[in-house]
Every structure is written in C-alpha cells, then in structure tokens.
Amino acid sequence: MTTPTASRTPFGALAPVTRRPYLTAVVFVVTLACGIAQLVHPPLYDAMHRDAARIDAGEWYRLVTGMFFQDGWAFGLTSNLVWLAVFGTLAERVFGRVRWLVLYFGCGLFGQVMSYLWLNPVGAGNSMCVAGLLGALAAVVMAASRRYGVVLPMQFRIIAFAAPVLAVVDTLVHDNHGLPLLLGLALGFALLPPVVSGKAG
C-alpha cells in the first residue's frame, strides 16, 4: 500500500470532514472588534492589557482580556488577525472546534500567565494563542506519515521539526511565544484527530 502525498491541499488529507471555520471567524470578529475599540478609544487598552502590577492588585481578568487587545496597536492587530485567519482555519479543519478551543485559549492563557510571572509582565495580543495552534499543527505534521499514512511536502516537515527548536531559542531570549508553542505541540500530540479509514486526500 502506498503512502499518499498531500501536495495541493496538504492539511485537507488529514481532516476527517470538511469544516467551515465558523469558530475561527467568531474569534476573529471579536478580536477585531476589541482592536478597533482600542484604536478608537486608547484608554481602553490601559484597562484591559496584561500588567503584572495591576494583576497583583487583583485585576486577574487582564490575563483573559490580554488575549483580545494588542500591544502592537494597528500593525499588531492586522498581523495577528492574518495569522489567526491562516492557522486558525487550518487548525479548526484538522482538530475540530472543541479541540481548537482548548488549543487556542489554553495556550493563550498559559502564555499570559508565564508572561505575567516571568517573561514579559506588560503587554497584550492574541499571538500567543496563535502560537499554540501552530505548535499543534506541527504535531500533526510530525505524525502525518506514521499515523495517517499521508506524506506532507518537505517544507512542512522542515518547519514542523524546526518549530520546537526555535521555540526553545525564543524562550531563552526572553520572548513569550515559545512556551505557548511548546504547549501547543504537546497538546497537539495529545489531541491528534482519530484516524478515519477510507479518507480521501
């Protein structure tokens, strides 16, 4: 039996069913709305971003709201939404909506907490959430051949195996995206979609 190669739609060969990315779209719209509100009324950012001193004072909600507002303002909002649209759609198609929620918000909250405790006590953005999705997709790529019988293009495999190495380096230089990616990688292996017999690539 030959191993199929997924070249035109790489992750499509791994998705048990075709899913429209409704959940990604909802989170996209909510994040966009928060970003626009922040741009229109800048003091809103001060009330919602991750700030260790204010969290220590009891404003724990900032660990959650910090995932919807952007310390990069207009540029950060635009770039983070682009990555959310790309990786969110892929992850929702491959993992489904429940696993997507666990990956996105679990990794995002973990990143917020680790940033608060150690890496970057002040800031905001959904990029750590997206990093978790990227880590989970890397796990799928790593397992694709053995678990699903799908050979993904070489560039996907190179990126997948490089991702955890880069995440460790990222953490060593005190950036806060590496740890959520590593958690996403671990959760990705734990939440791998089931093998569906007779699935077309």
Side-chain angles (χ1 to χ4, degrees), residues 66-109:
M67 291 186 278
F68 293 93
F69 293 82
Q70 311 292 333
D71 56 18
W73 295 84
F75 177 79
L77 176 64
T78 302
S79 60
N80 285 345
L81 287 178
V82 169
W83 294 122
L84 171 58
V86 173
F87 294 118
T89 298
L90 290 174
E92 187 170 348
R93 183 173 186 185
V94 172
F95 284 96
R97 297 187 180 107
V98 174
R99 290 181 176 92
W100 192 100
L101 282 171
V102 172
L103 292 165
Y104 187 85
F105 289 108
C107 294
L109 183 59

mmCIF file of all heavy atoms in Angstrom, residues 66-109:
data_model
loop_
_atom_site.group_PDB
_atom_site.id
_atom_site.type_symbol
_atom_site.label_atom_id
_atom_site.label_comp_id
_atom_site.label_asym_id
_atom_site.label_seq_id
_atom_site.Cartn_x
_atom_site.Cartn_y
_atom_site.Cartn_z
ATOM 1 N N GLY A 66 -6.198 40.275 27.979
ATOM 2 C CA GLY A 66 -4.934 40.471 27.276
ATOM 3 C C GLY A 66 -4.826 39.656 26.000
ATOM 4 O O GLY A 66 -3.958 39.928 25.160
ATOM 5 N N MET A 67 -5.711 38.659 25.828
ATOM 6 C CA MET A 67 -5.703 37.852 24.609
ATOM 7 C C MET A 67 -6.511 38.493 23.481
ATOM 8 O O MET A 67 -6.516 37.979 22.361
ATOM 9 C CB MET A 67 -6.257 36.449 24.899
ATOM 10 C CG MET A 67 -5.361 35.603 25.779
ATOM 11 S SD MET A 67 -5.950 33.899 25.965
ATOM 12 C CE MET A 67 -7.175 34.112 27.271
ATOM 13 N N PHE A 68 -7.199 39.599 23.759
ATOM 14 C CA PHE A 68 -8.069 40.209 22.751
ATOM 15 C C PHE A 68 -7.642 41.614 22.355
ATOM 16 O O PHE A 68 -8.115 42.133 21.340
ATOM 17 C CB PHE A 68 -9.513 40.236 23.262
ATOM 18 C CG PHE A 68 -10.122 38.882 23.407
ATOM 19 C CD1 PHE A 68 -10.082 38.203 24.613
ATOM 20 C CD2 PHE A 68 -10.716 38.261 22.314
ATOM 21 C CE1 PHE A 68 -10.639 36.939 24.741
ATOM 22 C CE2 PHE A 68 -11.276 36.990 22.431
ATOM 23 C CZ PHE A 68 -11.226 36.325 23.653
ATOM 24 N N PHE A 69 -6.763 42.220 23.126
ATOM 25 C CA PHE A 69 -6.258 43.552 22.805
ATOM 26 C C PHE A 69 -4.812 43.429 22.356
ATOM 27 O O PHE A 69 -4.173 42.402 22.565
ATOM 28 C CB PHE A 69 -6.430 44.484 24.006
ATOM 29 C CG PHE A 69 -7.873 44.770 24.311
ATOM 30 C CD1 PHE A 69 -8.635 43.874 25.051
ATOM 31 C CD2 PHE A 69 -8.481 45.911 23.828
ATOM 32 C CE1 PHE A 69 -9.982 44.111 25.307
ATOM 33 C CE2 PHE A 69 -9.830 46.172 24.084
ATOM 34 C CZ PHE A 69 -10.581 45.258 24.825
ATOM 35 N N GLN A 70 -4.270 44.473 21.738
ATOM 36 C CA GLN A 70 -2.986 44.348 21.039
ATOM 37 C C GLN A 70 -2.006 45.426 21.483
ATOM 38 O O GLN A 70 -2.293 46.625 21.338
ATOM 39 C CB GLN A 70 -3.192 44.459 19.525
ATOM 40 C CG GLN A 70 -4.283 43.584 18.959
ATOM 41 C CD GLN A 70 -3.983 42.098 19.025
ATOM 42 O OE1 GLN A 70 -2.822 41.698 19.021
ATOM 43 N NE2 GLN A 70 -5.024 41.272 19.083
ATOM 44 N N ASP A 71 -0.836 44.998 21.970
ATOM 45 C CA ASP A 71 0.176 45.996 22.304
ATOM 46 C C ASP A 71 0.866 46.543 21.059
ATOM 47 O O ASP A 71 1.564 47.548 21.127
ATOM 48 C CB ASP A 71 1.202 45.446 23.299
ATOM 49 C CG ASP A 71 1.889 44.165 22.824
ATOM 50 O OD1 ASP A 71 1.849 43.873 21.613
ATOM 51 O OD2 ASP A 71 2.475 43.461 23.667
ATOM 52 N N GLY A 72 0.652 45.879 19.907
ATOM 53 C CA GLY A 72 1.192 46.385 18.647
ATOM 54 C C GLY A 72 0.250 47.330 17.931
ATOM 55 O O GLY A 72 0.538 47.752 16.804
ATOM 56 N N TRP A 73 -0.889 47.610 18.560
ATOM 57 C CA TRP A 73 -1.879 48.527 18.017
ATOM 58 C C TRP A 73 -2.289 48.141 16.590
ATOM 59 O O TRP A 73 -2.564 46.975 16.338
ATOM 60 C CB TRP A 73 -1.389 49.980 18.150
ATOM 61 C CG TRP A 73 -1.271 50.352 19.603
ATOM 62 C CD1 TRP A 73 -0.211 50.097 20.433
ATOM 63 C CD2 TRP A 73 -2.279 50.945 20.425
ATOM 64 N NE1 TRP A 73 -0.483 50.503 21.710
ATOM 65 C CE2 TRP A 73 -1.733 51.052 21.744
ATOM 66 C CE3 TRP A 73 -3.568 51.434 20.193
ATOM 67 C CZ2 TRP A 73 -2.456 51.596 22.809
ATOM 68 C CZ3 TRP A 73 -4.276 51.997 21.254
ATOM 69 C CH2 TRP A 73 -3.726 52.067 22.529
ATOM 70 N N ALA A 74 -2.322 49.076 15.651
ATOM 71 C CA ALA A 74 -2.877 48.768 14.320
ATOM 72 C C ALA A 74 -2.058 47.693 13.602
ATOM 73 O O ALA A 74 -2.622 46.747 13.026
ATOM 74 C CB ALA A 74 -2.948 50.036 13.470
ATOM 75 N N PHE A 75 -0.749 47.814 13.630
ATOM 76 C CA PHE A 75 0.079 46.816 12.958
ATOM 77 C C PHE A 75 -0.054 45.452 13.630
ATOM 78 O O PHE A 75 -0.181 44.416 12.968
ATOM 79 C CB PHE A 75 1.549 47.254 12.950
ATOM 80 C CG PHE A 75 2.469 46.232 12.344
ATOM 81 C CD1 PHE A 75 2.573 46.098 10.964
ATOM 82 C CD2 PHE A 75 3.212 45.379 13.157
ATOM 83 C CE1 PHE A 75 3.413 45.135 10.407
ATOM 84 C CE2 PHE A 75 4.048 44.419 12.603
ATOM 85 C CZ PHE A 75 4.145 44.292 11.226
ATOM 86 N N GLY A 76 0.000 45.443 14.961
ATOM 87 C CA GLY A 76 -0.142 44.184 15.685
ATOM 88 C C GLY A 76 -1.483 43.546 15.443
ATOM 89 O O GLY A 76 -1.584 42.318 15.279
ATOM 90 N N LEU A 77 -2.534 44.357 15.417
ATOM 91 C CA LEU A 77 -3.871 43.837 15.161
ATOM 92 C C LEU A 77 -3.951 43.203 13.781
ATOM 93 O O LEU A 77 -4.449 42.081 13.616
ATOM 94 C CB LEU A 77 -4.901 44.967 15.279
ATOM 95 C CG LEU A 77 -6.348 44.612 14.947
ATOM 96 C CD1 LEU A 77 -6.900 43.594 15.931
ATOM 97 C CD2 LEU A 77 -7.221 45.875 14.930
ATOM 98 N N THR A 78 -3.432 43.897 12.780
ATOM 99 C CA THR A 78 -3.501 43.396 11.406
ATOM 100 C C THR A 78 -2.718 42.093 11.248
ATOM 101 O O THR A 78 -3.234 41.100 10.718
ATOM 102 C CB THR A 78 -2.946 44.444 10.425
ATOM 103 O OG1 THR A 78 -3.700 45.654 10.556
ATOM 104 C CG2 THR A 78 -3.048 43.951 8.998
ATOM 105 N N SER A 79 -1.483 42.073 11.716
ATOM 106 C CA SER A 79 -0.657 40.878 11.540
ATOM 107 C C SER A 79 -1.205 39.698 12.334
ATOM 108 O O SER A 79 -1.262 38.566 11.829
ATOM 109 C CB SER A 79 0.788 41.173 11.943
ATOM 110 O OG SER A 79 0.869 41.576 13.297
ATOM 111 N N ASN A 80 -1.647 39.939 13.553
ATOM 112 C CA ASN A 80 -2.164 38.844 14.366
ATOM 113 C C ASN A 80 -3.463 38.276 13.796
ATOM 114 O O ASN A 80 -3.715 37.069 13.889
ATOM 115 C CB ASN A 80 -2.389 39.306 15.807
ATOM 116 C CG ASN A 80 -1.086 39.442 16.573
ATOM 117 O OD1 ASN A 80 -0.043 38.943 16.156
ATOM 118 N ND2 ASN A 80 -1.132 40.133 17.701
ATOM 119 N N LEU A 81 -4.285 39.128 13.197
ATOM 120 C CA LEU A 81 -5.519 38.632 12.590
ATOM 121 C C LEU A 81 -5.232 37.821 11.330
ATOM 122 O O LEU A 81 -5.924 36.838 11.047
ATOM 123 C CB LEU A 81 -6.457 39.797 12.275
ATOM 124 C CG LEU A 81 -7.142 40.440 13.486
ATOM 125 C CD1 LEU A 81 -8.005 41.616 13.041
ATOM 126 C CD2 LEU A 81 -7.988 39.426 14.255
ATOM 127 N N VAL A 82 -4.216 38.223 10.589
ATOM 128 C CA VAL A 82 -3.837 37.443 9.405
ATOM 129 C C VAL A 82 -3.402 36.043 9.824
ATOM 130 O O VAL A 82 -3.837 35.030 9.256
ATOM 131 C CB VAL A 82 -2.718 38.151 8.613
ATOM 132 C CG1 VAL A 82 -2.136 37.213 7.557
ATOM 133 C CG2 VAL A 82 -3.250 39.419 7.957
ATOM 134 N N TRP A 83 -2.526 35.961 10.837
ATOM 135 C CA TRP A 83 -2.073 34.645 11.306
ATOM 136 C C TRP A 83 -3.214 33.837 11.903
ATOM 137 O O TRP A 83 -3.264 32.610 11.740
ATOM 138 C CB TRP A 83 -0.941 34.815 12.322
ATOM 139 C CG TRP A 83 0.313 35.382 11.741
ATOM 140 C CD1 TRP A 83 0.961 36.515 12.121
ATOM 141 C CD2 TRP A 83 1.083 34.839 10.656
ATOM 142 N NE1 TRP A 83 2.081 36.723 11.349
ATOM 143 C CE2 TRP A 83 2.177 35.711 10.439
ATOM 144 C CE3 TRP A 83 0.950 33.716 9.846
ATOM 145 C CZ2 TRP A 83 3.130 35.484 9.449
ATOM 146 C CZ3 TRP A 83 1.903 33.482 8.869
ATOM 147 C CH2 TRP A 83 2.970 34.359 8.680
ATOM 148 N N LEU A 84 -4.132 34.503 12.594
ATOM 149 C CA LEU A 84 -5.307 33.798 13.129
ATOM 150 C C LEU A 84 -6.141 33.216 12.000
ATOM 151 O O LEU A 84 -6.592 32.062 12.074
ATOM 152 C CB LEU A 84 -6.155 34.756 13.972
ATOM 153 C CG LEU A 84 -7.520 34.228 14.416
ATOM 154 C CD1 LEU A 84 -7.393 32.944 15.229
ATOM 155 C CD2 LEU A 84 -8.269 35.298 15.214
ATOM 156 N N ALA A 85 -6.351 33.991 10.947
ATOM 157 C CA ALA A 85 -7.148 33.501 9.822
ATOM 158 C C ALA A 85 -6.498 32.282 9.177
ATOM 159 O O ALA A 85 -7.176 31.299 8.850
ATOM 160 C CB ALA A 85 -7.338 34.618 8.796
ATOM 161 N N VAL A 86 -5.173 32.320 9.015
ATOM 162 C CA VAL A 86 -4.466 31.221 8.340
ATOM 163 C C VAL A 86 -4.412 29.978 9.228
ATOM 164 O O VAL A 86 -4.927 28.913 8.880
ATOM 165 C CB VAL A 86 -3.048 31.657 7.940
ATOM 166 C CG1 VAL A 86 -2.260 30.470 7.390
ATOM 167 C CG2 VAL A 86 -3.105 32.779 6.901
ATOM 168 N N PHE A 87 -3.783 30.116 10.396
ATOM 169 C CA PHE A 87 -3.571 28.944 11.247
ATOM 170 C C PHE A 87 -4.848 28.524 11.971
ATOM 171 O O PHE A 87 -5.028 27.340 12.267
ATOM 172 C CB PHE A 87 -2.445 29.212 12.242
ATOM 173 C CG PHE A 87 -1.100 29.385 11.589
ATOM 174 C CD1 PHE A 87 -0.412 30.577 11.694
ATOM 175 C CD2 PHE A 87 -0.539 28.363 10.846
ATOM 176 C CE1 PHE A 87 0.825 30.742 11.090
ATOM 177 C CE2 PHE A 87 0.703 28.513 10.224
ATOM 178 C CZ PHE A 87 1.373 29.713 10.348
ATOM 179 N N GLY A 88 -5.712 29.492 12.258
ATOM 180 C CA GLY A 88 -6.976 29.134 12.882
ATOM 181 C C GLY A 88 -7.838 28.287 11.972
ATOM 182 O O GLY A 88 -8.438 27.292 12.401
ATOM 183 N N THR A 89 -7.900 28.644 10.702
ATOM 184 C CA THR A 89 -8.682 27.869 9.740
ATOM 185 C C THR A 89 -8.123 26.461 9.578
ATOM 186 O O THR A 89 -8.873 25.474 9.587
ATOM 187 C CB THR A 89 -8.701 28.593 8.378
ATOM 188 O OG1 THR A 89 -9.329 29.871 8.531
ATOM 189 C CG2 THR A 89 -9.456 27.787 7.340
ATOM 190 N N LEU A 90 -6.805 26.358 9.441
ATOM 191 C CA LEU A 90 -6.185 25.033 9.315
ATOM 192 C C LEU A 90 -6.432 24.179 10.551
ATOM 193 O O LEU A 90 -6.806 23.004 10.453
ATOM 194 C CB LEU A 90 -4.680 25.182 9.082
ATOM 195 C CG LEU A 90 -4.240 25.730 7.730
ATOM 196 C CD1 LEU A 90 -2.735 25.952 7.722
ATOM 197 C CD2 LEU A 90 -4.639 24.789 6.602
ATOM 198 N N ALA A 91 -6.224 24.777 11.735
ATOM 199 C CA ALA A 91 -6.383 24.017 12.972
ATOM 200 C C ALA A 91 -7.837 23.609 13.198
ATOM 201 O O ALA A 91 -8.112 22.497 13.662
ATOM 202 C CB ALA A 91 -5.882 24.833 14.156
ATOM 203 N N GLU A 92 -8.770 24.468 12.862
ATOM 204 C CA GLU A 92 -10.179 24.112 13.034
ATOM 205 C C GLU A 92 -10.577 22.990 12.097
ATOM 206 O O GLU A 92 -11.357 22.099 12.452
ATOM 207 C CB GLU A 92 -11.064 25.338 12.815
ATOM 208 C CG GLU A 92 -12.527 25.088 13.137
ATOM 209 C CD GLU A 92 -13.372 26.345 13.144
ATOM 210 O OE1 GLU A 92 -12.805 27.462 13.129
ATOM 211 O OE2 GLU A 92 -14.609 26.222 13.157
ATOM 212 N N ARG A 93 -10.025 23.018 10.894
ATOM 213 C CA ARG A 93 -10.337 21.953 9.945
ATOM 214 C C ARG A 93 -9.766 20.616 10.397
ATOM 215 O O ARG A 93 -10.420 19.581 10.280
ATOM 216 C CB ARG A 93 -9.792 22.309 8.560
ATOM 217 C CG ARG A 93 -10.146 21.280 7.508
ATOM 218 C CD ARG A 93 -9.755 21.710 6.114
ATOM 219 N NE ARG A 93 -10.247 20.750 5.132
ATOM 220 C CZ ARG A 93 -9.987 20.787 3.847
ATOM 221 N NH1 ARG A 93 -9.250 21.777 3.358
ATOM 222 N NH2 ARG A 93 -10.465 19.878 3.032
ATOM 223 N N VAL A 94 -8.558 20.637 10.933
ATOM 224 C CA VAL A 94 -7.893 19.387 11.311
ATOM 225 C C VAL A 94 -8.361 18.883 12.671
ATOM 226 O O VAL A 94 -8.653 17.696 12.848
ATOM 227 C CB VAL A 94 -6.360 19.578 11.310
ATOM 228 C CG1 VAL A 94 -5.668 18.346 11.883
ATOM 229 C CG2 VAL A 94 -5.864 19.863 9.897
ATOM 230 N N PHE A 95 -8.455 19.773 13.667
ATOM 231 C CA PHE A 95 -8.735 19.353 15.036
ATOM 232 C C PHE A 95 -10.209 19.398 15.408
ATOM 233 O O PHE A 95 -10.620 18.749 16.373
ATOM 234 C CB PHE A 95 -7.950 20.220 16.027
ATOM 235 C CG PHE A 95 -6.490 19.884 16.108
ATOM 236 C CD1 PHE A 95 -5.558 20.600 15.376
ATOM 237 C CD2 PHE A 95 -6.042 18.852 16.907
ATOM 238 C CE1 PHE A 95 -4.202 20.299 15.448
ATOM 239 C CE2 PHE A 95 -4.697 18.537 16.985
ATOM 240 C CZ PHE A 95 -3.778 19.254 16.256
ATOM 241 N N GLY A 96 -11.003 20.185 14.695
ATOM 242 C CA GLY A 96 -12.389 20.369 15.113
ATOM 243 C C GLY A 96 -12.495 21.504 16.120
ATOM 244 O O GLY A 96 -11.502 22.034 16.622
ATOM 245 N N ARG A 97 -13.719 21.872 16.460
ATOM 246 C CA ARG A 97 -13.940 23.096 17.225
ATOM 247 C C ARG A 97 -13.622 22.953 18.712
ATOM 248 O O ARG A 97 -13.080 23.872 19.320
ATOM 249 C CB ARG A 97 -15.372 23.573 17.016
ATOM 250 C CG ARG A 97 -15.626 23.933 15.549
ATOM 251 C CD ARG A 97 -16.978 24.563 15.284
ATOM 252 N NE ARG A 97 -17.075 24.841 13.848
ATOM 253 C CZ ARG A 97 -17.822 24.169 13.002
ATOM 254 N NH1 ARG A 97 -18.576 23.173 13.438
ATOM 255 N NH2 ARG A 97 -17.837 24.472 11.715
ATOM 256 N N VAL A 98 -13.965 21.833 19.308
ATOM 257 C CA VAL A 98 -13.700 21.677 20.743
ATOM 258 C C VAL A 98 -12.206 21.664 21.011
ATOM 259 O O VAL A 98 -11.698 22.377 21.892
ATOM 260 C CB VAL A 98 -14.363 20.393 21.283
ATOM 261 C CG1 VAL A 98 -13.948 20.162 22.741
ATOM 262 C CG2 VAL A 98 -15.884 20.486 21.181
ATOM 263 N N ARG A 99 -11.460 20.877 20.240
ATOM 264 C CA ARG A 99 -10.012 20.847 20.404
ATOM 265 C C ARG A 99 -9.406 22.210 20.084
ATOM 266 O O ARG A 99 -8.426 22.620 20.708
ATOM 267 C CB ARG A 99 -9.398 19.765 19.504
ATOM 268 C CG ARG A 99 -9.718 18.334 19.938
ATOM 269 C CD ARG A 99 -9.037 17.352 18.986
ATOM 270 N NE ARG A 99 -9.216 15.969 19.384
ATOM 271 C CZ ARG A 99 -10.194 15.186 18.961
ATOM 272 N NH1 ARG A 99 -11.097 15.651 18.104
ATOM 273 N NH2 ARG A 99 -10.287 13.937 19.378
ATOM 274 N N TRP A 100 -9.960 22.899 19.107
ATOM 275 C CA TRP A 100 -9.482 24.239 18.743
ATOM 276 C C TRP A 100 -9.584 25.173 19.942
ATOM 277 O O TRP A 100 -8.645 25.921 20.246
ATOM 278 C CB TRP A 100 -10.303 24.778 17.582
ATOM 279 C CG TRP A 100 -9.782 26.009 16.901
ATOM 280 C CD1 TRP A 100 -9.082 26.063 15.738
ATOM 281 C CD2 TRP A 100 -9.961 27.385 17.320
ATOM 282 N NE1 TRP A 100 -8.802 27.376 15.406
ATOM 283 C CE2 TRP A 100 -9.334 28.206 16.360
ATOM 284 C CE3 TRP A 100 -10.585 27.976 18.408
ATOM 285 C CZ2 TRP A 100 -9.305 29.592 16.456
ATOM 286 C CZ3 TRP A 100 -10.546 29.367 18.521
ATOM 287 C CH2 TRP A 100 -9.917 30.154 17.556
ATOM 288 N N LEU A 101 -10.718 25.140 20.628
ATOM 289 C CA LEU A 101 -10.908 25.993 21.800
ATOM 290 C C LEU A 101 -9.875 25.692 22.878
ATOM 291 O O LEU A 101 -9.300 26.602 23.488
ATOM 292 C CB LEU A 101 -12.316 25.797 22.372
ATOM 293 C CG LEU A 101 -13.458 26.498 21.631
ATOM 294 C CD1 LEU A 101 -14.802 26.019 22.177
ATOM 295 C CD2 LEU A 101 -13.339 28.019 21.766
ATOM 296 N N VAL A 102 -9.630 24.411 23.129
ATOM 297 C CA VAL A 102 -8.638 24.010 24.130
ATOM 298 C C VAL A 102 -7.260 24.526 23.740
ATOM 299 O O VAL A 102 -6.529 25.090 24.569
ATOM 300 C CB VAL A 102 -8.618 22.478 24.298
ATOM 301 C CG1 VAL A 102 -7.464 22.049 25.183
ATOM 302 C CG2 VAL A 102 -9.948 21.986 24.872
ATOM 303 N N LEU A 103 -6.909 24.349 22.468
ATOM 304 C CA LEU A 103 -5.587 24.760 22.000
ATOM 305 C C LEU A 103 -5.425 26.278 22.028
ATOM 306 O O LEU A 103 -4.429 26.800 22.546
ATOM 307 C CB LEU A 103 -5.344 24.225 20.582
ATOM 308 C CG LEU A 103 -5.197 22.714 20.449
ATOM 309 C CD1 LEU A 103 -5.331 22.294 18.987
ATOM 310 C CD2 LEU A 103 -3.855 22.260 21.020
ATOM 311 N N TYR A 104 -6.377 26.982 21.482
ATOM 312 C CA TYR A 104 -6.247 28.427 21.330
ATOM 313 C C TYR A 104 -6.231 29.122 22.691
ATOM 314 O O TYR A 104 -5.291 29.866 23.017
ATOM 315 C CB TYR A 104 -7.387 28.959 20.474
ATOM 316 C CG TYR A 104 -7.268 30.425 20.099
ATOM 317 C CD1 TYR A 104 -6.525 30.811 18.992
ATOM 318 C CD2 TYR A 104 -7.902 31.411 20.838
ATOM 319 C CE1 TYR A 104 -6.412 32.151 18.638
ATOM 320 C CE2 TYR A 104 -7.800 32.750 20.495
ATOM 321 C CZ TYR A 104 -7.061 33.117 19.397
ATOM 322 O OH TYR A 104 -6.949 34.447 19.055
ATOM 323 N N PHE A 105 -7.250 28.867 23.494
ATOM 324 C CA PHE A 105 -7.356 29.587 24.758
ATOM 325 C C PHE A 105 -6.495 28.952 25.857
ATOM 326 O O PHE A 105 -6.020 29.663 26.753
ATOM 327 C CB PHE A 105 -8.818 29.694 25.185
ATOM 328 C CG PHE A 105 -9.598 30.638 24.331
ATOM 329 C CD1 PHE A 105 -10.530 30.169 23.417
ATOM 330 C CD2 PHE A 105 -9.386 32.001 24.408
ATOM 331 C CE1 PHE A 105 -11.240 31.049 22.615
ATOM 332 C CE2 PHE A 105 -10.089 32.896 23.607
ATOM 333 C CZ PHE A 105 -11.023 32.417 22.706
ATOM 334 N N GLY A 106 -6.279 27.643 25.791
ATOM 335 C CA GLY A 106 -5.388 27.019 26.761
ATOM 336 C C GLY A 106 -3.964 27.518 26.614
ATOM 337 O O GLY A 106 -3.317 27.928 27.595
ATOM 338 N N CYS A 107 -3.467 27.515 25.371
ATOM 339 C CA CYS A 107 -2.106 28.001 25.127
ATOM 340 C C CYS A 107 -2.012 29.509 25.345
ATOM 341 O O CYS A 107 -1.004 30.010 25.860
ATOM 342 C CB CYS A 107 -1.658 27.639 23.715
ATOM 343 S SG CYS A 107 -1.479 25.860 23.446
ATOM 344 N N GLY A 108 -3.048 30.222 24.949
ATOM 345 C CA GLY A 108 -3.044 31.669 25.144
ATOM 346 C C GLY A 108 -3.005 32.050 26.608
ATOM 347 O O GLY A 108 -2.228 32.924 27.018
ATOM 348 N N LEU A 109 -3.843 31.390 27.415
ATOM 349 C CA LEU A 109 -3.852 31.695 28.846
ATOM 350 C C LEU A 109 -2.531 31.289 29.499
ATOM 351 O O LEU A 109 -2.003 32.024 30.348
ATOM 352 C CB LEU A 109 -5.023 30.974 29.520
ATOM 353 C CG LEU A 109 -5.208 31.264 31.007
ATOM 354 C CD1 LEU A 109 -5.433 32.755 31.254
ATOM 355 C CD2 LEU A 109 -6.384 30.455 31.568
#
